[in-house]
Amino acid sequence: MENVYVVYWSQTGNTKEMAEAVGRGIESAGKKAKVLEVGETSAEELKNAKAFALGCPAMGAEVLEEMEMEPFVEEVEGFASGKTVLLFGSYGWGDGQWMRDWEERMSGAGADVLNGEGFICQELPDETAVKECESLGSQLAQI
């Protein structure tokens, strides 16, 4: 069974909950979800994947987490061309600029961002957000 990676960073657990929902969606579509915190894997694991998911909440002035996720994403940008990537994360303030910036970076690196945009929710994902994450995971698994 093919593995579909979901790599995330989460401080409060909101983005982790989203990652787990994406994983459930992948598995409901018949693939094996590998849901991992960014510190538990390396970008090398994603090099041969045609599709994967990356999750990170908005941090600071609407940026990616800088110690683990940012370096990971920088490495992924080097081989993202031709791959489909689902981007997701939660936020507590702002208007989602960190996600728009992330989408632009990944598209600029040649990746196809699933549905043309990342998925965000404010704070803890509600039932609607969880269902959307599951749906996106299912779509990702069909790539």
Side-chain angles (χ1 to χ4, degrees):
M1 184 179 289
E2 184 181 341
N3 291 328
V4 179
Y5 286 86
V6 181
V7 179
Y8 71 93
W9 187 91
S10 186
Q11 182 172 351
T12 63
N14 297 342
T15 300
K16 177 181 181 179
E17 187 167 330
M18 294 174 80
E20 290 169 347
V22 169
R24 287 192 300 275
I26 291 166
E27 298 212 339
S28 75
K31 300 235 175 122
K32 172 90 172 112
K34 297 272 288 188
V35 181
L36 302 165
E37 286 187 72
V38 69
E40 297 176 332
T41 190
S42 71
E44 194 70 27
E45 294 275 346
L46 305 180
K47 273 193 174 174
N48 295 322
K50 60 184 174 183
F52 51 86
L54 300 174
C56 186
M59 301 296 291
E62 288 205 77
V63 296
L64 297 176
E65 187 276 330
E66 296 174 314
M67 300 301 291
E68 291 183 89
M69 198 65 183
E70 178 61 37
F72 188 88
V73 169
E74 286 175 6
E75 196 172 339
V76 168
E77 283 178 292
F79 60 80
S81 185
K83 299 189 183 296
T84 300
V85 182
L86 164 60
L87 302 176
F88 65 92
S90 65
Y91 67 101
W93 61 90
D95 67 354
Q97 186 61 48
W98 103 101
M99 185 57 71
R100 290 190 295 276
D101 292 344
W102 199 6
E103 292 161 8
E104 187 176 305
R105 285 176 67 184
M106 297 310 291
S107 293
D112 177 25
V113 177
L114 186 69
N115 293 333
E117 63 182 2
F119 179 69
I120 61 175
C121 72
Q122 191 165 22
E123 304 294 348
L124 182 67
D126 61 13
E127 184 178 332
T128 301
V130 168
K131 286 187 185 309
E132 183 62 17
C133 287
E134 290 171 347
S135 174
L136 290 166
S138 177
Q139 290 174 49
L140 188 67
Q142 295 172 40
I143 302 297

